Amino acid sequence: MKMKMSFRWYGKDDPISLEYISQIPGMRSIVSAVYDVKPGEVWPEESLKKMKEECDASGLVFDVVESIPVHEDIKLGRGDVDHLLDVYCENIRRCAKYGVKCVTYNFMPVFDWTRTQLDKKAPDGSTSLVMYWDQMRGLDPLKDDIHLPGWDSSYTQDEVRELITAYGEIGEDGLWANLEKFLKKVIPVAEECGVRMAIHPDDPPYPIFGLPRIITCEANLDRFLALVDSPANSLCLCTGSLGCAESNDIPAMVRKYAQMDRIAFMHIRNVRIMEDGSFEERAHLSSCGSLDIYQIVKALCECGYEGYVRPDHGRMIWGETGKPGYGLFDRALGATYINGLFEACEKSLS
């Protein structure tokens, strides 16, 4: 297959071993990061070297980083931004030195993703991540102590309030301006290193608590890609994140950006959108959710996509416990299903 199947692994703290991951048919790449270094600090080369060696020993390739976090001061355009950008560039260089070809990141204010529950039980007994609006209504992080899943627990409530206020002051225009500065500094370094930077969409792709969100829809993806017109400035197109908004035609977006060669990484998962806009993460199979995974894969194949793919969040099934969304069993099923779709689509074109 042209595409490169990958699997996210959280290093030494991940209960899922590289040995188990390597047993998934068609698995090639490991997606990981240095998790014990704070945003804005340089990653130790020893950590990257060890990860590469561990993956090599298991017959896997460590060539995707997810992610190098972007410090909040870069997004807000405050403090010693130039130093933080220099550190970010150094981390790209270090990753490239140890074989990394793709670096995923996001530009979401404060929170990487928002869910209201991590273990919603389905009728079949499996559990998954969900976001229900009726659980969000009436919450005000500027007044209430809120601890939603996915929110960085390293922030105090006062720090969260300060950040929300600061982002409210700069708004979407300020966030766009700071993203442009980031890209103009980082993308030339990525080009020199042979690395493709892949921005992850906002999850979900609409405002939460009034925070500006900008990587949300086709018009904004067009605007983003135009900021620095380079293959090194690309997308991590997450079907489940963008797919939470019914207005996003995911197969059409995949086809458009794959034809432009501006997708470096595909996160493939399914969601069921509810009548009020709430959503539930579901099994990867098209019939389990609101997204047509076959049409998404067909678009990739017809465009000759050769980038990275990974099964994104899985349910917890068969009694497995662990990091919500990142168990072994359902993601392995997802990888197998996606591999089958790619094989069928590619053979139909030959």
Side-chain angles (χ1 to χ4, degrees):
M1 293 183 188
K2 294 179 180 179
M3 66 83 180
K4 305 173 185 70
M5 181 60 72
S6 64
F7 204 85
R8 191 164 189 183
W9 181 61
Y10 285 90
K12 60 182 177 61
D13 295 327
D14 197 323
I16 301 167
S17 68
L18 290 173
E19 178 188 4
Y20 287 178
I21 296 170
S22 70
Q23 293 171 10
I24 302 170
M27 192 54 63
R28 177 193 184 276
S29 294
I30 286 296
V31 181
S32 196
V34 175
Y35 295 105
D36 57 356
V37 175
K38 294 179 180 178
E41 296 181 1
V42 177
W43 286 7
E45 285 197 36
E46 308 81 63
S47 299
L48 292 163
K49 182 174 183 288
K50 182 179 180 182
M51 193 169 296
K52 174 179 166 50
E53 290 172 347
E54 289 175 336
C55 292
D56 288 346
S58 296
L60 297 163
V61 184
F62 171 50
D63 52 358
V64 184
V65 160
E66 185 176 342
S67 58
I68 303 178
V70 181
H71 197 283
E72 298 294 338
D73 284 353
I74 293 177
K75 300 175 195 174
L76 285 165
R78 68 183 188 183
D80 196 352
V81 175
D82 291 336
H83 169 71
L84 291 171
L85 290 172
D86 287 339
V87 168
Y88 202 98
C89 290
E90 177 60 22
N91 283 334
I92 293 173
R93 295 187 186 98
R94 293 189 176 199
C95 287
K97 181 177 178 179
Y98 292 94
V100 171
K101 300 298 183 185
C102 177
V103 171
T104 304
Y105 67 101
N106 72 70
F107 225 73
M108 287 182 253
V110 193
F111 317 118
D112 280 3
W113 46 273
T114 301
R115 300 290 186 274
T116 55
Q117 193 173 343
L118 301 182
D119 57 355
K120 173 65 177 177
K121 196 168 185 176
D124 63 6
S126 63
T127 62
S128 66
L129 288 69
V130 301
M131 195 192 86
Y132 294 144
W133 279 112
D134 61 0
Q135 295 175 338
M136 294 281 285
R137 291 193 186 94
L139 297 181
D140 184 348
L142 295 179
K143 297 177 181 177
D144 309 319
D145 285 347
I146 299 174
H147 300 278
L148 285 174
W151 289 23
D152 191 335
S153 59
S154 66
Y155 291 133
T156 67
Q157 288 293 311
D158 285 342
E159 287 171 335
V160 167
R161 293 182 182 112
E162 188 276 328
L163 285 169
I164 290 175
T165 300
Y167 278 109
E169 290 172 355
I170 70 167
E172 286 193 9
D173 289 343
L175 195 58
W176 274 113
N178 295 333
L179 175 56
E180 182 174 6
K181 180 175 181 177
F182 170 81
L183 293 174
K184 288 186 173 176
K185 176 75 173 186
V186 164
I187 296 303
V189 175
E191 290 173 335
E192 292 170 9
C193 295
V195 169
R196 296 190 75 178
M197 300 297 296
I199 196 168
H200 190 286
D202 297 344
D203 185 7
Y206 36 73
I208 301 289
F209 299 128
L211 287 166
R213 289 185 177 246
I214 56 178
I215 309 300
T216 56
C217 61
E218 184 175 347
N220 284 12
L221 293 182
D222 289 346
R223 179 176 176 179
F224 164 78
L225 294 173
L227 291 175
V228 179
D229 189 7
S230 165
N233 180 36
S234 288
L235 306 173
C236 169
L237 202 152
C238 178
T239 65
S241 297
L242 291 169
C244 292
E246 284 189 303
S247 56
N248 285 331
D249 184 338
I250 304 302
M253 294 169 76
V254 167
R255 186 176 300 278
K256 173 179 177 175
Y257 298 116
Q259 285 175 336
M260 295 168 60
D261 188 25
R262 299 300 286 276
I263 303 176
F265 196 11
M266 283 294 306
H267 286 185
I268 297 181
R269 61 179 168 90
N270 210 343
V271 292
R272 173 69 72 186
I273 305 173
M274 321 303 281
E275 286 187 9
D276 67 347
S278 301
F279 62 87
E280 301 173 344
E281 297 190 358
R282 294 288 185 90
H284 288 75
L285 192 70
S286 294
S287 59
C288 292
S290 300
L291 304 183
D292 191 329
I293 306 299
Y294 164 72
Q295 289 294 340
I296 290 167
V297 170
K298 184 170 181 280
L300 290 168
C301 290
E302 290 178 351
C303 295
Y305 180 72
E306 297 183 353
Y308 297 93
V309 170
R310 77 167 172 86
D312 205 3
H313 303 171
R315 303 162 299 148
M316 285 299 183
I317 61 173
W318 303 339
E320 185 178 21
T321 59
K323 185 178 177 65
Y326 288 96
L328 171 63
F329 302 148
D330 200 41
R331 286 191 295 156
L333 290 177
T336 301
Y337 170 59
I338 294 165
N339 271 330
L341 288 178
F342 267 96
E343 180 178 357
C345 290
E346 288 179 357
K347 285 184 175 178
S348 71
L349 294 172
S350 61

